[in-house]
């Protein structure tokens, strides 16, 4: 999308005349107003839909003892189906309230999960288990493609990590095989790779960004945890191969030119595959040539900072603001964490917090200013 600076440049070069320039400025201003209005509609309709759903759930919860089991089930199922049908009609049949219809369809996926847990509670089934979350995922996953819904793709990704956490807690044998941080890192890389595959086909491209975003957050969270002294790093011998498999598959997808040209965030994708292979190498070294905990802590800090640097470069190169935002957020977090590590014992507590707060404020201001400049630059001056 061009901006006013580009219009002035064309005017100075004689590509367009003053009348054309004024017309283009008016059209650009109108486009920006319409775009802002659409974003506001999406935000308000989503918030309104969520509030309606919360109200229905709270109504059932507040009258829990007074309502019979069958009535409870009918209320929950009826509300979910009714909201979904209303969203479908508004989005596809009437075609006048596309965004409100999308918000209601997304709300129905939340109500489906809430209904599952409440019905489990009605019939005295343990509601705090991974099976219900898995049913929730399987129940709403087809809607990602049926309705071409990016928000539902994001919800499924988030639910996947909730399912992984509950499954890990319920399965003591998993703790002997793999640490929770390795599990998050491997699953994060895998979800990110799933997003890369979606980016190769136009029909499913809508799910690319949510899968990649959630996968990247999980991978960075797990790597961030590895940068602390969390005990001796002792992975199982199977872990290097689990890391290596997505890394090799990643490279197989990224290296062919025909596929690489379809990916706008090639640098970021390549960074994740490198991290996967690095982790495979590190875990192999840990198994056969063990080193001290401090050595691995330094190594993971270097990998983490290197990945953030590569992501910043990728975000700037592809003008992808969410990658830049993610990198800046984790940069601030790692600086804050290392500040606590290095200066907690060295400085008086009052000076520690005052100096730390000042440093974080300065870093936050600088990064936010730069982020806004890039956002304006990427969005054509909007």
């Amino acid at each position: 999308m061009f901006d006013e600076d580009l219009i002035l440049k064309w005017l100075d070069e004689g590509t367009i005349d003053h009348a054309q320039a004024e017309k283009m400025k008016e059209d650009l201003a109108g486009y920006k107003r319409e775009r802002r209005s659409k974003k506001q509609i999406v935000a308000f309709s989503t918030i309104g839909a969520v509030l309606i759903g919360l109200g229905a759930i709270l109504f059932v919860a507040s009258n829990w003892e007074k309502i019979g089991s069958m009535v409870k089930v009918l209320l929950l199922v009826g509300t979910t189906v009714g909201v979904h049908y209303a969203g479908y009609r508004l989005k596809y049949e009437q075609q006048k309230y596309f965004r409100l219809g999308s918000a209601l369809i997304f709300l129905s996926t939340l109500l489906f999960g809430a209904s599952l847990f409440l019905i489990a509670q009605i019939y005295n089934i343990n509601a705090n288990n991974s099976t219900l979350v898995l049913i929730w995922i399987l129940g709403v996953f087809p809607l990602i493609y049926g309705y071409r819904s990016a928000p539902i793709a994001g919800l499924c990704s988030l639910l996947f990590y909730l399912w992984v956490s509950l499954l890990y807690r319920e399965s003591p044998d998993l703790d002997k095989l793999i640490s929770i941080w390795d599990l998050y890192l491997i699953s994060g890389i895998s979800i990110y790779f799933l997003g890369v595959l979606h980016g190769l086909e136009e029909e499913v491209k809508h799910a690319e960004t949510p899968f990649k975003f959630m996968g990247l957050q999980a991978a960075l969270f797990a790597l961030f945890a590895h940068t602390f002294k969390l005990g001796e790093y002792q992975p199982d011998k199977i872990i290097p191969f689990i890391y290596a498999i997505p890394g090799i598959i990643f490279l197989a997808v990224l290296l062919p030119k025909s596929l690489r040209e379809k990916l706008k965030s090639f640098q970021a994708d390549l960074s994740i595959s490198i991290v996967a292979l690095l982790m495979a190498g590190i875990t192999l070294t840990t198994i056969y040539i063990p080193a001290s905990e401090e050595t691995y802590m330094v190594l993971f800090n270097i990998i983490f900072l290197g990945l953030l640097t590569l992501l910043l470069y990728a975000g700037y190169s592809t003008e992808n603001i969410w990658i830049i935002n993610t990198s800046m957020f984790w940069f601030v977090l790692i600086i804050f964490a290392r500040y606590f590590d290095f200066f907690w014992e060295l400085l008086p507590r009052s000076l520690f917090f005052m100096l730390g707060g000042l440093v974080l404020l300065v870093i936050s201001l600088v990064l936010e200013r730069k982020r806004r400049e890039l956002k304006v630059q990427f969005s054509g001056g909007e």
Side-chain angles (χ1 to χ4, degrees), residues 215-289:
L216 183 59
Q217 303 312 313
L220 287 171
F221 175 70
L223 273 178
F224 180 69
H226 276 301
T227 63
F228 291 88
K229 291 183 179 179
L230 297 175
E232 190 176 354
Y233 188 65
Q234 291 182 330
D236 192 272
K237 291 186 179 182
I238 193 174
I239 294 177
F241 301 102
I242 300 176
Y243 275 126
I245 288 170
I248 293 169
I249 296 175
F250 242 130
L251 291 177
V253 170
L254 295 172
L255 291 180
K257 188 176 181 180
S258 59
L259 296 178
R260 191 171 68 242
E261 290 176 346
K262 295 182 179 180
L263 301 171
K264 292 183 178 179
S265 57
F266 170 71
Q267 296 97 330
D269 305 335
L270 188 63
S271 302
I272 296 296
S273 62
I274 291 171
V275 166
L277 294 173
L278 272 176
M279 292 300 296
I282 289 169
T283 49
L284 279 172
T285 305
T286 307
I287 292 167
Y288 296 105
I289 312 174

Side-chain angles (χ1 to χ4, degrees), residues 19-72:
Q20 290 172 325
E22 290 301 320
K23 176 60 177 173
M24 292 174 74
K25 287 181 181 179
E26 290 177 7
D27 290 344
L28 181 60
Y31 169 78
K32 290 178 179 179
R33 284 194 299 271
E34 184 180 357
R35 190 175 179 184
R36 284 193 294 268
S37 177
K38 287 179 179 178
K39 289 181 179 179
Q40 291 171 355
I41 291 170
V42 171
F44 286 126
S45 60
T46 302
I47 292 170
V50 170
L51 289 176
I52 292 171
L54 286 174
I57 293 170
L58 290 174
F59 173 77
V60 175
S62 61
N63 297 279
W64 196 254
E65 301 298 332
K66 302 174 184 177
I67 304 174
S69 297
M70 185 56 65
V71 177
K72 292 176 187 176

Side-chain angles (χ1 to χ4, degrees), residues 84-85 87-88 91-92 98 102 105-106 108-109 140 142-150 152 206:
H84 187 93
Y85 179 67
Y88 176 82
K91 185 173 182 178
Y92 293 104
F98 184 86
S102 298
I105 289 172
F106 179 71
S108 70
T109 63
V140 302
L143 303 183
I144 297 173
Y145 309 103
Y147 293 124
R148 298 180 62 83
S149 174
I152 297 178
H206 61 278

Side-chain angles (χ1 to χ4, degrees), residues 23-324:
K23 176 60 177 173
M24 292 174 74
K25 287 181 181 179
E26 290 177 7
D27 290 344
L28 181 60
Y31 169 78
K32 290 178 179 179
R33 284 194 299 271
E34 184 180 357
R35 190 175 179 184
R36 284 193 294 268
S37 177
K38 287 179 179 178
K39 289 181 179 179
Q40 291 171 355
I41 291 170
V42 171
F44 286 126
S45 60
T46 302
I47 292 170
V50 170
L51 289 176
I52 292 171
L54 286 174
I57 293 170
L58 290 174
F59 173 77
V60 175
S62 61
N63 297 279
W64 196 254
E65 301 298 332
K66 302 174 184 177
I67 304 174
S69 297
M70 185 56 65
V71 177
K72 292 176 187 176
V73 173
L74 290 174
L75 274 173
L76 292 169
V77 174
T79 302
T80 303
V81 174
V83 168
H84 187 93
Y85 179 67
Y88 176 82
R89 280 189 58 84
L90 289 171
K91 185 173 182 178
Y92 293 104
E93 292 187 5
Q94 296 187 5
Q95 297 183 352
K96 293 181 179 179
Y97 305 98
F98 184 86
R99 290 171 181 80
L100 178 58
S102 298
L104 289 175
I105 289 172
F106 179 71
L107 171 62
S108 70
T109 63
L110 300 178
L111 291 175
F112 175 71
S115 299
L116 276 177
F117 286 93
L118 289 173
I119 291 171
Q121 188 175 353
I122 291 170
Y123 293 102
N124 297 318
I125 301 171
N126 179 19
N128 191 22
N129 68 73
S130 60
T131 304
L132 290 176
V133 179
L134 182 60
I135 294 172
W136 189 358
I137 295 171
L138 295 176
V140 302
F141 190 80
L143 303 183
I144 297 173
Y145 309 103
Y147 293 124
R148 298 180 62 83
S149 174
I152 297 178
L155 174 65
C156 285
S157 303
L158 188 62
L159 291 175
F160 172 77
Y161 292 111
L162 176 61
W163 174 69
V164 166
S165 302
L166 292 172
L167 184 66
Y168 191 84
R169 191 187 66 179
E170 295 168 3
S171 308
D173 292 338
L174 273 178
D175 188 33
K176 301 173 184 177
L177 180 66
I178 187 172
S179 74
I180 186 64
W181 307 117
D182 282 316
L183 187 58
Y184 277 142
L185 184 52
I186 291 169
S187 59
I189 292 170
S190 301
I191 292 292
Y192 188 93
F193 180 63
L194 183 63
V196 171
L197 293 178
H198 279 72
L200 298 175
E201 295 296 333
E202 195 63 36
E203 292 79 8
V204 294
K205 200 175 180 64
H206 61 278
E208 176 189 11
T209 299
F211 282 144
K212 291 173 74 170
F213 177 81
M214 296 303 298
L216 183 59
Q217 303 312 313
L220 287 171
F221 175 70
L223 273 178
F224 180 69
H226 276 301
T227 63
F228 291 88
K229 291 183 179 179
L230 297 175
E232 190 176 354
Y233 188 65
Q234 291 182 330
D236 192 272
K237 291 186 179 182
I238 193 174
I239 294 177
F241 301 102
I242 300 176
Y243 275 126
I245 288 170
I248 293 169
I249 296 175
F250 242 130
L251 291 177
V253 170
L254 295 172
L255 291 180
K257 188 176 181 180
S258 59
L259 296 178
R260 191 171 68 242
E261 290 176 346
K262 295 182 179 180
L263 301 171
K264 292 183 178 179
S265 57
F266 170 71
Q267 296 97 330
D269 305 335
L270 188 63
S271 302
I272 296 296
S273 62
I274 291 171
V275 166
L277 294 173
L278 272 176
M279 292 300 296
I282 289 169
T283 49
L284 279 172
T285 305
T286 307
I287 292 167
Y288 296 105
I289 312 174
S292 65
E293 182 184 350
E294 288 75 14
T295 301
Y296 289 112
M297 181 180 172
V298 171
L299 190 58
F300 285 127
N301 273 276
I302 292 172
I303 291 173
F304 189 74
L305 290 172
L307 177 59
L308 292 181
T309 303
L310 287 172
L311 289 174
L312 270 178
Y313 171 74
Y316 185 79
S317 299
T318 59
E319 299 187 352
N320 192 323
I321 194 66
W322 76 260
I323 293 181
I324 292 174

